Amino acid sequence: MEKIKAILSASHEVTARFVETEGPKILSLVEKTCEVFRNGGKLLVFGNGGSAADAQHLAAELVNRFKRERTPLPALALTTDTSILTAVANDYDFSLVFVKQIEALGRAGDIALGISTSGRSPNVLKALARARELGLFTVGLTGGTGGGMPEVSDLVITVPSEETPRIQEGHLLFIHVFSELIEEAYFGK
């Protein structure tokens, strides 16, 4: 029980600092995303491992619904098409699995949101760099020092921890807060 309480305490501490330090950035991203949606743009989300699951989770909350019945919002996880992922990895290199999809699906004015707990995932960084070149608004969702995210992102949202589980808990909190705020801002209260 003491170990469980210690984990819970550490999680609360990190998420509280995360909301305090990154809350204004999240609000800014909500405004930007609503603007992009109103202008016919979309949100492209990607990451590896647990971050791939987070990308899918975020896209599902926006396309389906979060807390209320509403029309779908245009979000796509670039982590779900195994044929594309394996073809690009086999024919080129795994570091290009998201770049190719950004080139195929991204348009100037869209948002590319890359998720990496360390901020050092080569395929995420390359995709954000390419998205920026193509005129997409780039967002890095990360932890710790942010790794290479600041160099390739217009906006970096960072969970203030070096521990992967705490960073991932912060990312889950981001997904839920962001989804709820998008619903309210885009569709009204």
Side-chain angles (χ1 to χ4, degrees):
M1 279 306 295
E2 291 307 312
K3 181 66 174 180
I4 293 171
K5 288 178 185 178
I7 291 169
L8 184 61
S9 177
S11 181
H12 282 308
E13 179 186 328
V14 168
T15 54
R17 281 190 295 139
F18 176 56
V19 169
E20 184 68 30
T21 61
E22 305 301 285
K25 292 180 187 178
I26 295 169
L27 292 173
S28 173
L29 181 58
V30 167
E31 290 175 14
K32 177 68 175 177
T33 305
C34 287
E35 175 188 320
V36 166
F37 288 166
R38 286 187 187 103
N39 290 328
K42 62 191 160 301
L43 175 66
L44 303 173
V45 194
F46 47 94
N48 299 292
S51 297
D54 288 342
Q56 292 174 227
H57 184 171
L58 178 56
E61 300 293 16
L62 297 178
V63 170
N64 186 34
R65 67 180 172 88
F66 185 66
K67 290 179 74 174
R68 61 196 264 183
E69 295 301 322
R70 55 158 171 85
T71 57
L73 294 169
L76 180 64
L78 304 183
T79 57
T80 59
D81 191 322
T82 54
S83 294
I84 291 173
L85 296 171
T86 57
V88 173
N90 184 65
D91 294 351
Y92 295 95
D93 186 81
F94 189 71
S95 70
L96 299 177
V97 295
F98 302 133
V99 168
K100 288 281 197 173
Q101 293 182 80
I102 290 289
E103 291 174 342
L105 303 170
R107 300 291 174 262
D110 289 344
I111 297 174
L113 195 162
I115 307 172
S116 171
T117 56
S118 68
R120 295 187 299 270
S121 300
N123 58 0
V124 172
L125 295 174
K126 283 184 179 186
L128 287 170
R130 183 65 178 134
R132 186 183 254 182
E133 290 170 0
L134 295 172
L136 283 75
F137 183 80
T138 56
V139 180
L141 180 60
T142 189
T145 64
M149 291 286 204
E151 289 79 33
V152 295
S153 301
D154 297 307
L155 178 67
V156 180
I157 298 172
T158 307
V159 177
S161 177
E162 297 292 335
E163 292 185 55
T164 298
R166 303 296 80 83
I167 295 167
Q168 290 175 332
E169 290 158 4
H171 289 178
L172 178 59
L173 179 62
F174 164 82
I175 290 166
H176 287 167
V177 167
F178 180 76
S179 298
E180 185 165 346
L181 293 176
I182 285 285
E183 279 190 342
E184 287 185 7
Y186 194 78
F187 296 101
K189 292 186 180 184

